Amino acid sequence: MIGMIGLVGGLILLTILVMRGMNLLVVAPLSALFVALLNGVPLFPQMTINEEVDFVTGYMNGFAGFITSWYLMFLAGAIFGKVMEDSGAADSVSEWILSKLGREKAVLAIIIACAILTYGGVSLFVVAFAVYPMAVSLFKEANFPRRFIPAALAFGSTTFTMTSAGSPEIQNWIPIPYLNTSPYAAWQVSLIVAVFMMIIGYLWLMWMIKRAVSKGEFFIERETDHREERSHLPNPILSVIPLLSVLIVSYIFHERFEQYALILALTSGILFTWLLNRKYFRDFWTAVGEGTEGAIIAIGNTAAVVGFGGVAKITPAFDKAVTALTDLPGNPLIGGAFAIMIIAGLTGSSSGGQTIALPILGPHYLDMGVNAEALHRTVALSSGTLDSLPHGGYAVTTIRSIAGETHKDAYPAFGAMTVLVPILGVLLALVLFSFGIGM
């Protein structure tokens, strides 16, 4: 009981401290230490017995492992976003989109851009880096409060695209070896759910933005925006080419190099931006430097949260929680959805929730005769819900590091788009599966 209190209490402590705007590099290990102490986890390697994992090793394995896997992708994505901004390419694309869609469709333009890149295989973190400069420009032109930018970025990246059938994102691929399915599992249900989430989420987000505007909120520029008026902007068609190159190169090399294809794709985007728009740059190397600094801050904050999940996973309470969740009685699809949600919430990671639960949940439910395709889609959709609680790595990176907002200002809309809308999508999927659709 004390161990479970420590596990849940550590998560609550981390969430509260993050919401208060405290430094993640400090509060994440402190919250993890709280979890470790109440679970009897040894603090240092010298205090372990047999094959126990200590607090320091558990935390640093999670922290360093994330940086090892994702640093180059974060770096390339941050630099790509900055060179698009510094060259004026982001401004050019945003002005062209606004001229076609109108100012009221600025949010829709951001969502579409994120959706295209995400469904093209670009990492969620990288999409936020790449589209953020364009989002700032679009919100400025439409005079919308900038605290809604993280919600727009996340909605286009982590909802109706990330967990949908055919998506190259890992959240759609992790179940395949465990369930012997394909990335197009239960595509009929996936398509219905995706359309549902897209419509509901967009209408809800626009309602929140218009409500804020009616109360007198507006776009506030920052010195870091570097948004002084330009006398000339690059051609919008040429400015789109770097974005397309990221999408195309990622698609071509995704199967061969998996996530490392993103390094090639984003590098191609940087090169195309420079080649096509080099005469429009204010200072190319300054942009590269600013992107590098942003990448280090972003990945450090995210790795700090992943380290918390690394400690949570080695506690006895976590093992008990996983066992209890995967043995829930009743409809196996409902039990599986709930289990994945909770574990993703505890680890702050959609992929982490799947990786931990599927080795136990997959064989167990398949032996019960559960349809593999329905289980695949349920697992994928469910992993994209509570992973976006305030302490989640993507939430922290997008709100704090990329957009420079506070959780207090940005998370209400962000949480609505990334937690509540996906939960509604999961419920719809379960209803559709209960009628035999997609099975």
Side-chain angles (χ1 to χ4, degrees), residues 228-234 280 282:
E228 64 267 19
E229 293 297 325
R230 294 172 178 266
S231 57
H232 296 89
L233 287 174
Y280 296 98
R282 293 191 179 98

Side-chain angles (χ1 to χ4, degrees), residues 321-346 353-354 357 361 365 375 378-387 423 426-427 430:
V322 172
T323 301
L325 288 169
T326 52
D327 287 337
L328 287 173
N331 187 317
L333 288 180
I334 296 176
F338 187 69
I340 293 293
M341 284 184 188
I342 298 300
I343 297 171
L346 288 173
Q354 289 193 34
L361 181 150
Y365 285 159
L375 183 59
T378 300
V379 165
L381 289 168
S382 301
S383 71
T385 53
L386 300 187
D387 66 312
I423 287 177
V426 172
L427 293 177
L430 292 173

Side-chain angles (χ1 to χ4, degrees), residues 149-164:
I149 291 179
L153 294 173
F155 177 60
S157 304
T158 68
T159 56
F160 59 93
T161 53
M162 181 182 80
T163 57
S164 293

Side-chain angles (χ1 to χ4, degrees), residues 156-333:
S157 304
T158 68
T159 56
F160 59 93
T161 53
M162 181 182 80
T163 57
S164 293
S167 172
E169 299 296 333
I170 59 174
Q171 289 79 5
N172 184 47
W173 285 69
I174 290 175
I176 294 174
Y178 297 103
L179 305 178
N180 194 29
T181 49
S182 79
Y184 300 95
W187 66 266
Q188 304 94 328
V189 168
S190 178
L191 179 61
I192 295 171
V193 171
V195 172
F196 169 79
M197 286 197 290
M198 182 170 60
I199 294 173
I200 294 297
Y202 176 68
L203 293 177
W204 191 0
L205 181 57
M206 287 306 303
W207 176 82
M208 287 189 285
I209 292 174
K210 290 179 179 179
R211 187 163 177 254
V213 170
S214 69
K215 292 183 177 181
E217 290 191 52
F218 54 90
F219 184 88
I220 300 175
E221 287 195 78
R222 300 172 182 163
E223 292 183 5
T224 54
D225 288 341
H226 300 304
R227 293 290 172 185
E228 64 267 19
E229 293 297 325
R230 294 172 178 266
S231 57
H232 296 89
L233 287 174
N235 183 287
I237 303 302
L238 294 180
S239 297
V240 168
I241 291 177
L243 289 171
L244 293 177
S245 74
V246 172
L247 181 64
I248 294 169
V249 173
S250 174
Y251 178 80
I252 292 173
F253 292 101
H254 180 74
E255 288 192 9
R256 181 175 181 183
F257 297 121
E258 298 177 342
Q259 73 266 30
Y260 299 108
L262 296 177
I263 300 173
L264 292 176
L266 290 161
T267 301
S268 75
I270 295 169
L271 291 174
F272 272 112
T273 304
W274 183 79
L275 288 171
L276 297 174
N277 302 313
R278 57 186 181 275
K279 68 179 181 179
Y280 296 98
F281 276 98
R282 293 191 179 98
D283 191 325
F284 175 79
W285 289 110
T286 296
V288 170
E290 290 176 351
T292 302
E293 293 173 4
I296 292 173
I297 294 172
I299 199 169
N301 283 333
T302 308
V305 177
V306 175
F308 173 87
V311 173
K313 287 191 293 186
I314 65 175
T315 62
F318 189 83
D319 288 337
K320 292 178 182 178
V322 172
T323 301
L325 288 169
T326 52
D327 287 337
L328 287 173
N331 187 317
L333 288 180

Side-chain angles (χ1 to χ4, degrees), residues 35-81:
V35 174
L37 290 174
L38 269 67
N39 276 272
V41 175
L43 296 183
F44 308 112
Q46 294 80 2
M47 301 171 65
T48 60
I49 300 174
N50 297 327
E51 297 183 359
E52 282 185 304
V53 180
D54 61 281
F55 162 73
V56 173
T57 301
Y59 187 86
M60 291 310 300
N61 281 346
F63 186 96
F66 186 83
I67 292 178
T68 299
S69 299
W70 293 102
Y71 173 67
L72 290 179
M73 275 70 90
F74 268 67
L75 178 65
I79 292 175
F80 176 54

